[in-house]
């Protein structure tokens, strides 16, 4: 197991380098001058501009700029500074925590709601309940996050507060702790809940058709034990894979949700970084997201052996 983990970490190095170089090249190719954006419409002193461009190696070729950046990360743990002189790690520290909290709440809601609805639909396959759940997931997939965010913000955040006189779901900010993340977490996870529900239903239906399920039933085991111990456990393998990959998607796709609910996370910071061509910010955020993907996929692979004892890593 230890050798497998080391091998996977070594394999992650080219993935990390490739992803960061790709994003670095995209930001490098964006039109406009990032130094000119700092002053807005004010006239800039050419000498100061030259000093700043030299300080951030903006006159160097792409690969040389990338080497300065990635060597700082590898050898010093330095993600660089913004063009305003603020260390990227300092800028992202609090914002990363907000986005991580939002993504984890969304992931928990996705796992609980998606698996429960999928299990319910699979056990009532072909009935009205199954049809209603599938239709609901299709509706949820069809509604853009931008629309569902504003609608739920109005219904559950504003109107429900007017009816009950209590703010059950905060609609902006993070001042109320975990409660502040419930509504935006559901909005962020909405489409993923729908996909996970359908995946759970399909996986469990296929598992319940297996020969070993028929054998367990023929032995006289209770339906609850057959489904819980033998059916659901094996059906969870594709679900764990989906959830592991979706953590990075939730963090990377939080831009719209954070904007709607005024959450100070890395989503808004990523948008500003792209708009202002702040290479250290954009590549720093992407580097963090790539690391999240790598760690999540490693954890998923290790969980396979827990869910299915037949899987062993040499």
């Amino acid at each position: 197991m230890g050798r497998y983990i080391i091998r996977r970490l070594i394999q992650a190095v080219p993935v990390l380098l490739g992803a960061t170089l790709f994003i670095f090249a995209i930001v490098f190719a964006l039109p406009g001058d990032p130094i000119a954006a700092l002053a807005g419409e004010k006239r800039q002193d050419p000498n100061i501009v030259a000093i700043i461009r030299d300080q951030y190696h903006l006159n160097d070729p792409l690969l040389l700029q990338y080497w300065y950046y990635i060597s700082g990360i590898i050898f010093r743990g330095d993600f660089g500074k913004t063009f305003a002189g603020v260390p990227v790690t300092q800028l992202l520290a609090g914002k990363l925590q907000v986005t991580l909290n939002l993504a984890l709440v969304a992931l928990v809601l996705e796992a609980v709601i998606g698996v429960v609805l999928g299990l319910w639909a699979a056990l009532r396959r072909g009935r009205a309940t199954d049809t209603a759940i599938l239709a609901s997931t299709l509706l949820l997939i069809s509604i853009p996050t931008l629309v569902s965010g504003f609608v739920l913000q109005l219904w559950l955040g504003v109107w429900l507060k007017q009816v009950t006189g209590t703010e059950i779901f905060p609609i902006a900010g993070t001042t109320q702790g975990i409660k502040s993340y419930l509504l935006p977490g559901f909005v962020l996870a909405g489409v993923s809940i729908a996909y996970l529900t359908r995946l759970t239903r399909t996986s469990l239906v296929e598992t319940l058709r297996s020969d070993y399920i028929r054998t367990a039933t023929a032995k006289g085991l209770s339906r609850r034990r057959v489904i819980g111990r033998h059916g659901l456990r094996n059906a969870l393998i594709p679900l764990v894979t989906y959830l592991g990959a979706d953590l990075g998607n939730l963090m990377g796709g939080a831009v719209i949700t954070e904007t709607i609910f005024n959450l100070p996370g890395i989503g808004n910071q990523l948008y500003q970084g792209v708009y202002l061509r702040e290479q250290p910010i954009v590549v720093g955020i992407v580097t963090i997201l790539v690391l999240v993907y790598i760690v999540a996929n490693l954890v998923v692979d290790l969980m396979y052996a827990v869910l299915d004892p037949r899987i062993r890593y040499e």
Side-chain angles (χ1 to χ4, degrees), residues 43-251:
R43 183 179 180 277
Q44 295 175 310
D45 186 335
N47 294 326
I48 296 178
V49 171
I51 293 173
I52 296 176
R53 295 187 65 86
D54 182 67
Q55 178 183 353
Y56 288 95
H57 310 288
L58 297 180
N59 296 320
D60 296 329
L62 169 63
L63 292 180
L64 187 56
Q65 289 188 38
Y66 178 73
W67 166 250
Y68 285 131
Y69 177 79
I70 200 66
S71 62
I73 294 179
I74 295 175
F75 299 116
R76 301 188 302 275
D78 181 14
F79 282 78
K81 295 182 179 180
T82 68
F83 294 138
V86 180
V88 173
T89 51
Q90 177 182 330
L91 181 67
L92 298 181
K95 299 179 184 295
L96 178 61
Q97 186 62 52
V98 171
T99 300
L100 185 60
N101 291 343
L102 176 61
L104 289 177
V105 170
L107 190 70
V108 171
L109 292 175
E110 174 188 350
V112 173
I113 299 175
V115 171
V116 169
L117 289 180
L119 176 61
W120 196 10
L123 296 180
R124 288 163 175 76
R125 183 167 57 94
R127 302 179 186 177
T129 301
D130 181 29
T131 304
I133 291 176
L134 292 179
S136 300
T137 58
L138 183 60
L139 178 64
L140 198 57
I141 294 172
S142 304
I143 300 177
T145 303
L146 183 64
V147 175
S148 62
F150 281 119
V151 170
L152 290 178
Q153 192 179 50
L154 178 63
W155 288 356
L156 300 181
V158 179
W159 290 355
L160 186 61
K161 180 180 178 180
Q162 294 175 350
V163 172
T164 62
T166 304
E167 187 179 39
I168 301 177
F169 298 104
I171 60 174
T174 60
T175 57
Q176 299 190 40
I178 192 67
K179 187 178 178 182
S180 303
Y181 295 98
L182 293 178
L183 189 55
F186 179 79
V187 171
L188 179 61
V191 175
S192 297
I193 289 174
Y195 283 127
L196 187 64
T197 299
R198 287 173 167 264
L199 180 61
T200 303
R201 177 190 180 276
T202 302
S203 180
L204 188 57
V205 167
E206 291 297 324
T207 302
L208 293 179
R209 291 174 177 171
S210 302
D211 292 337
Y212 65 88
I213 295 294
R214 296 193 186 98
T215 302
T217 304
K219 286 182 177 179
L221 298 180
S222 65
R223 181 172 173 80
R224 176 179 297 181
R225 186 172 183 181
V226 170
I227 294 174
R229 185 179 180 86
H230 301 283
L232 186 58
R233 183 172 180 175
N234 289 285
L236 281 176
I237 292 179
L239 309 185
V240 170
T241 303
Y242 180 83
L243 287 171
D246 204 39
L247 177 59
N249 292 333
L250 293 173
M251 292 188 65

